[in-house]
Amino acid sequence: MAIINYFEKHLKTFTVKAHKHRFWEIICVTDGAGVIKTENNQVVEYKKGQIICIPPNLQHINDSSVGFKNIHLTIEDWNPPIQRVFLIQESDVSRDFCNTIKTAYHYFHQYPINYPINLAYANVVEAFLDILIQQSNTARITQIIINEILNNYTDTTFNLDQAYNLTSLSKEHTRKLFIEEYGISPSRFLLQKRLTLAKQLLSKKDEGYLRINEIAQACGFDDQSYFCRVFKKETGVSPREFQLKLLEDNKIY
């Protein structure tokens, strides 16, 4: 169960020196703008209305030329599927979250950390954060996977882990988001792209001189036998039978 173990405000501030926390730090920016700089050279610019999530044990500096105000907390036993500083954009949900934080701040400084109302607010904060991260990440993360597949599906050395490694989420969580948005898994999408190209090559007259193993290579399969097995499983016929059927039906272009 998540526990809020630190809760504070910054009134108008220009610089917070290098520091780090044992747990995730969540910052609701209530005024101004600035930049977070981390020890691993990540730079995140923020402004009023946004929420900053900073991982545990990551040294960082908060700097602003115009000054900023915020409410910030650290939350224990919360394990989001992100591994770096993450910025949540302003939305109706984020505004509700920041309003909740303002109320929770009052009770945190009035009662002990483990007081029932503070434990309840910690659960609400955790639930809000999970929703916000999913909403902010889904479109961007799935587009990264789509782009990487489209750019590399004809490469026999391409591995989906290359795409997964470009995201800030775990492999399994990324796969789940992709399925929710597109109805199929990334591996299924990759296979469909390769088989669609294979059918196109098999049905083109000017590609008629390509051997099956050459078509397999051109479509991203480094093993002809595997290509033939997968093709037959998906279409019901082998690549050669598929081509012969097109010839019989006069559908070779």
Side-chain angles (χ1 to χ4, degrees), residues 118-249:
N118 285 330
L119 295 177
Y121 267 116
N123 287 332
V124 172
V125 166
E126 179 182 24
F128 258 120
L129 287 170
D130 288 341
I131 292 172
L132 286 165
I133 287 174
Q134 181 173 341
Q135 288 182 347
S136 298
N137 259 357
T138 300
R140 183 176 65 84
I141 292 298
T142 54
Q143 193 58 53
I144 288 174
I145 302 299
I146 287 286
N147 290 342
E148 199 66 10
I149 290 174
L150 293 179
N151 290 334
N152 296 283
Y153 73 94
T154 58
D155 184 351
T156 58
T157 65
F158 175 65
N159 188 300
L160 271 174
D161 284 344
Q162 295 171 223
Y164 287 127
N165 290 338
L166 294 176
T167 75
S168 58
L169 305 181
S170 68
K171 178 177 178 179
E172 188 53 40
H173 192 67
T174 300
R175 181 178 178 277
K176 181 180 177 182
L177 291 178
F178 194 99
I179 292 172
E180 287 176 354
E181 186 163 348
Y182 293 100
I184 58 174
S185 67
S187 59
R188 182 70 185 171
F189 180 79
L190 172 61
L191 178 62
Q192 288 182 351
K193 292 300 298 180
R194 286 174 166 170
L195 291 179
T196 297
L197 178 59
K199 292 175 184 178
Q200 291 172 350
L201 294 179
L202 287 166
S203 62
K204 287 185 178 180
K205 185 176 181 180
D206 58 354
E207 301 293 345
Y209 297 105
L210 284 179
R211 298 184 178 92
I212 296 299
N213 69 308
E214 293 173 326
I215 290 177
Q217 288 278 329
C219 297
F221 296 93
D222 62 357
D223 182 276
Q224 178 184 339
S225 297
Y226 174 70
F227 166 64
C228 291
R229 287 199 306 273
V230 170
F231 191 95
K232 186 167 186 176
K233 179 180 179 182
E234 295 296 320
T235 66
V237 295
S238 69
R240 182 58 67 198
E241 291 170 336
F242 178 85
Q243 194 173 50
L244 289 173
K245 183 69 168 73
L246 289 175
L247 281 171
E248 289 174 5
D249 295 342

Side-chain angles (χ1 to χ4, degrees), residues 11 68 79 84-85 102 151 196 222 242:
L11 301 179
F68 63 84
N79 299 298
R84 62 205 305 262
V85 178
K102 291 174 184 176
N151 290 334
T196 297
D222 62 357
F242 178 85

Side-chain angles (χ1 to χ4, degrees), residues 5 10 13 28 63 80 98 120 136 163-164 220-221 226:
N5 45 40
H10 276 129
T13 306
C28 286
D63 192 37
C98 288
S136 298
Y164 287 127
F221 296 93
Y226 174 70

Side-chain angles (χ1 to χ4, degrees), residues 44-58:
V44 178
E45 296 182 0
Y46 65 82
K47 61 184 179 181
K48 179 181 177 180
Q50 294 177 328
I51 299 165
I52 311 161
C53 302
I54 303 175
N57 302 311
L58 179 65

